[in-house]
């Protein structure tokens, strides 16, 4: 890379939700050799950084500018990352330094807090010429006289009740609608709608104090902030703010976590099972050879881990999905099917009802010596898998080669804060996707607190949870991880509706434990 290749990009990260980062910004972060940003912003988008990126915190404007210019002149792409929008967050001095040093630069706008936070709070800011919109900082409030329209106040987290008093003193009616949102666009977001004259009492009634709020706040003053006009969509998600424990292997947790985020939850992935290769590779080597030489009529996959293990072994020998030519493939359910499709293989057989080894066995055809040229089935699976499918296939006349494709071992205990949260009621829900996840989580971290909502994927997992003294609150309509998350969302929505109907404050399960922090949303 030559000096000509080096340049600087000033990128806005948005007000909090990493999904608000622009596509252009994400691409630049992935290509950056140097990223300069405050730790709070860096932590939000760290997953987008390239493996060789150097991360640095900014110093003063002059020192930060020197670092950016030096990196660019060394041939690197240097990204200066700002919260919100770069030009509204004070990037001008650093941009001017690049201009003076004749370093190529680009500005990638970001969603500013002044518009992004109200949108996530369900507040429609005026868009026509008749509806005046003013954006100020909290330290300017005392100088702002009353005028029809809407006022957005940044930095409103410090003494919001005093903001109301100053606005009233400046001529604003005490009945003017006022809404304040903390931690906007994040799953800690909290909005209270009131009026200028009732800010103090209404915040107290909502349980909002210095101790229960952490981040910055944006306030909206004017008719747009009226409670009746709010179009709340974010804080009303069925699992908004719920901290949900996902005890699975790390590879399998991603699907669950992504769906939980769609419902507003905060997933915490805690591996309880570690997947390791078999102790001896000979069985898998013979299985791969058998696939190539036409030894099998069927291959039955009962987990995504089995698909992964076979795929990796084939690729180790330079083979691909064409090794399955002429072989019929069975899959136990949706996730296993997705893993096969990703490999370029469409299953020939799926369970018609229950997605389990039993369901697959119920759908399996008996061996017919006139129709089936080979009576052999390859069954790659875990070392601790049950014998149900193997026994049923034998009864149906098939010769089954039961091959250990991978081993499952108990994962290491999670960090102490996670263990304390599990036992102390810090989680709102735990999702168990197999009996082994129940046994292993209790074994490495202890039993979840009584206030924690327990969700299970099916009857067998429910039975195991009950045996460990856990109360099962949610069960999936069908044995799939997405169905389990959907069932938890329905449970959360029902809890929310019941609280609203009874006129009770909205509290997450973790806030109902004795001594739990009470935050009203």
């Amino acid at each position: 890379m030559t000096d000509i290749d080096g340049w600087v990009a000033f990128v806005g990260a948005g007000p909090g939700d990493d999904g608000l980062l622009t596509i252009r910004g994400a691409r630049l972060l992935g290509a950056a050799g140097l990223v300069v940003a405050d730790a709070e912003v860096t932590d939000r988008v760290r997953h987008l950084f390239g493996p060789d990126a150097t991360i640095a915190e900014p110093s003063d404007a002059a020192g930060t500018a020197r670092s950016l210019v030096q990196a660019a002149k060394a041939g690197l792409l240097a990204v200066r990352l700002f919260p919100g929008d770069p030009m509204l967050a004070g990037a001008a001095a650093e941009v001017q330094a690049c201009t003076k040093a004749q370093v190529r630069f680009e500005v990638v706008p970001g969603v500013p807090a002044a518009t992004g936070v109200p949108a996530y709070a369900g507040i429609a800011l005026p868009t026509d010429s008749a509806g005046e919109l003013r954006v100020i900082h909290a330290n300017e409030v005392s100088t702002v006289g009353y005028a029809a329209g809407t006022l957005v106040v940044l930095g409103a987290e410090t003494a919001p009740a005093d903001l109301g008093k100053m606005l009233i003193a400046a001529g604003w009616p005490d009945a003017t609608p006022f809404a304040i949102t903390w931690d906007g666009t994040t799953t800690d977001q909290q909005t209270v709608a009131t009026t200028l004259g009732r800010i103090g009492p209404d915040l107290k009634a909502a349980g909002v104090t210095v101790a229960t709020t952490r981040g910055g706040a944006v306030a909206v003053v004017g008719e747009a902030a009226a409670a009746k006009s709010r179009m709340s969509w974010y804080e009303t998600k069925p699992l908004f703010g719920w901290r949900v424990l996902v005890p699975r292997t790390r590879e399998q947790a991603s699907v669950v976590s992504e769906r939980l985020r769609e419902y507003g939850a905060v997933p915490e992935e805690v591996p309880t099972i570690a997947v390791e290769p078999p102790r001896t590779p000979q069985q898998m080597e013979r299985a791969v050879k058998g696939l190539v030489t036409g030894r099998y009529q069927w291959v039955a996959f009962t987990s995504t881990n089995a698909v992964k293990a076979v795929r990796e072994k084939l690729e180790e020998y330079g083979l691909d999905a064409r090794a399955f030519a002429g072989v019929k493939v069975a899959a136990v359910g949706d996730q296993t099917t997705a893993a096969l499709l990703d490999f370029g293989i469409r299953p020939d057989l799926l369970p018609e009802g229950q997605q389990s080894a039993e369901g697959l066995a119920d759908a399996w055809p008996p061996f017919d010596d006139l129709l089936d040229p080979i009576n052999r089935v390859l069954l790659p699976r875990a070392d601790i898998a049950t014998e149900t499918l193997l026994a049923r296939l034998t009864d149906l006349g098939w010769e089954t080669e039961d091959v250990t494709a991978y081993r499952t071992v108990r994962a290491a205990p999670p960090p102490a804060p996670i263990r304390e949260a599990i036992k102390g009621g810090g989680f709102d829900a735990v999702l168990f996707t197999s009996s082994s996840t129940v046994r292993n989580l209790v074994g490495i971290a202890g039993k979840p607190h009584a206030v924690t909502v327990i969700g299970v994927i099916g009857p067998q997992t429910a039975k195991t949870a009950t045996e460990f003294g856990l109360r099962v609150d949610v069960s999936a309509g069908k044995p799939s991880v997405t169905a389990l998350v959907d069932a938890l969302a329905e449970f959360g929505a029902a809890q929310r509706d019941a609280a609203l109907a009874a006129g009770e404050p909205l509290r997450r399960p973790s806030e109902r434990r004795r001594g739990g922090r009470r935050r009203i949303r």
Side-chain angles (χ1 to χ4, degrees):
M1 182 175 287
T2 66
D3 289 355
I4 296 176
D5 295 315
W7 57 295
V8 179
F10 297 91
V11 177
D17 183 348
D18 61 1
L20 297 180
L21 182 71
T22 63
I23 294 175
R24 177 63 176 166
R27 287 174 179 168
L28 292 175
L29 286 175
L34 171 67
V35 178
V36 180
D38 292 327
E40 180 183 354
V41 182
T42 300
D43 291 343
R44 282 198 260 141
V45 293
R46 188 180 296 273
H47 61 285
L48 298 172
F49 299 166
D52 300 323
T54 298
I55 315 301
E57 291 200 31
S59 54
D60 59 277
T64 301
R66 280 195 300 271
S67 299
L68 296 171
V69 169
Q70 289 171 1
K73 289 188 172 181
L76 297 176
L77 164 57
V79 172
R80 175 69 168 98
L81 192 62
F82 290 86
D85 181 86
M87 301 308 278
L88 292 176
E94 296 168 23
V95 171
Q96 290 170 357
C98 290
T99 301
K100 185 177 180 179
Q102 296 184 324
V103 168
R104 182 165 65 97
F105 68 90
E106 174 182 339
V107 177
V108 181
V111 176
T115 57
V117 173
Y120 269 58
I123 297 172
L125 300 178
T127 57
D128 54 55
S129 57
E132 183 183 16
L133 174 64
R134 289 180 287 173
V135 179
I136 66 167
H137 195 273
N139 56 21
E140 304 173 85
V141 164
S142 61
T143 66
V144 180
Y146 172 72
T150 301
L151 186 67
V152 176
V153 184
L154 305 177
E157 64 274 6
T158 303
D162 291 342
L163 294 179
K165 294 175 183 177
M166 287 187 284
L167 286 169
I168 292 172
W172 291 73
D174 59 3
T176 303
F178 177 93
I180 182 167
T181 302
W182 279 268
D183 298 306
T185 79
T186 75
T187 49
D188 286 323
Q189 177 174 307
Q190 181 178 15
T191 300
V192 176
T194 177
T195 60
L196 291 180
R198 289 196 52 82
I199 294 175
D202 284 350
L203 289 181
K204 183 177 180 180
V208 176
T209 66
V210 175
T212 63
T213 58
R214 296 180 298 280
V218 175
V220 179
V221 185
E223 287 303 320
K228 64 179 180 297
S229 66
R230 283 185 61 210
M231 296 169 282
S232 185
W233 62 273
Y234 186 59
E235 293 174 54
T236 54
K237 288 189 174 185
L239 298 177
F240 182 77
W242 282 42
R243 189 182 180 195
V244 181
L245 183 68
V246 184
R248 292 173 59 80
T249 61
R250 189 167 300 278
E251 293 82 1
Q252 294 170 324
S254 60
V255 175
V256 182
S257 295
E258 184 57 36
R259 200 165 187 89
L260 283 168
R261 291 188 187 97
E262 292 175 2
Y263 285 117
V266 183
E268 186 89 44
E269 298 176 5
V270 176
T272 57
I273 300 172
V275 177
E276 297 182 357
R279 297 187 186 280
T280 57
Q282 287 81 4
Q283 273 193 327
M284 281 291 285
E285 290 171 357
R286 286 196 296 269
V288 168
K289 182 179 179 181
L291 273 175
V292 175
T293 58
R295 177 175 175 81
Y296 306 109
Q297 176 80 356
W298 283 91
V299 181
F301 289 103
T302 56
S303 70
T304 56
N305 284 324
V307 177
K308 183 173 182 287
V310 171
R311 180 173 181 173
E312 288 178 350
K313 182 59 69 174
L314 286 170
E315 291 173 348
E316 183 182 322
Y317 288 102
L319 300 171
D320 55 27
R322 287 173 292 185
F324 286 85
V327 180
K328 293 182 179 180
V329 176
V332 75
D334 295 339
Q335 273 67 49
T336 306
T337 297
L340 285 167
L341 290 172
D342 185 61
F343 190 30
I345 299 170
R346 185 174 296 278
D348 301 282
L349 180 66
L350 291 167
E352 295 178 358
Q354 184 180 8
Q355 295 187 0
S356 64
E358 292 84 351
L360 186 58
D362 290 339
W364 204 282
F367 171 68
D368 188 324
D369 55 7
L370 296 178
L371 300 176
D372 301 309
I374 305 169
N375 77 329
R376 198 170 292 109
V377 178
L378 172 61
L379 181 57
R381 55 186 189 149
D383 56 332
I384 59 171
T386 62
E387 303 299 317
T388 302
L389 180 58
L390 179 63
R392 292 286 297 278
L393 291 177
T394 301
D395 293 341
L396 291 169
W398 295 96
E399 178 185 333
T400 306
E401 289 192 5
D402 186 15
V403 173
T404 299
Y406 60 96
R407 292 185 300 123
T408 56
V409 298
R410 180 177 290 179
I418 298 295
R419 299 198 302 272
E420 292 167 4
I422 291 171
K423 292 182 286 188
F427 284 100
D428 297 291
V430 179
L431 297 183
F432 290 114
T433 55
S434 67
S435 293
S436 59
T437 57
V438 178
R439 290 189 291 267
N440 289 348
L441 181 71
V442 174
I444 66 176
K447 192 164 70 171
H449 192 279
V451 300
T452 306
V453 174
I454 303 298
V456 298
I457 201 167
Q460 187 58 50
T461 307
K463 179 181 177 182
T464 304
T466 302
E467 290 172 353
F468 277 86
L470 299 177
R471 178 198 68 252
V472 175
D473 303 291
V474 177
S475 186
K478 63 177 183 178
S480 78
V481 293
T482 52
L484 176 55
V485 176
D486 293 345
L488 180 65
E490 291 178 9
F491 179 89
Q495 294 279 298
R496 182 184 184 89
D497 292 344
L500 290 173
E504 298 176 352
L506 300 177
R507 289 189 290 168
R508 302 191 307 274
S510 61
E511 295 170 329
R512 299 175 188 141
R513 70 189 190 278
R514 182 175 298 175
R517 183 165 57 94
R518 178 172 173 153
R519 284 188 64 174
I520 313 301
R521 299 193 183 274

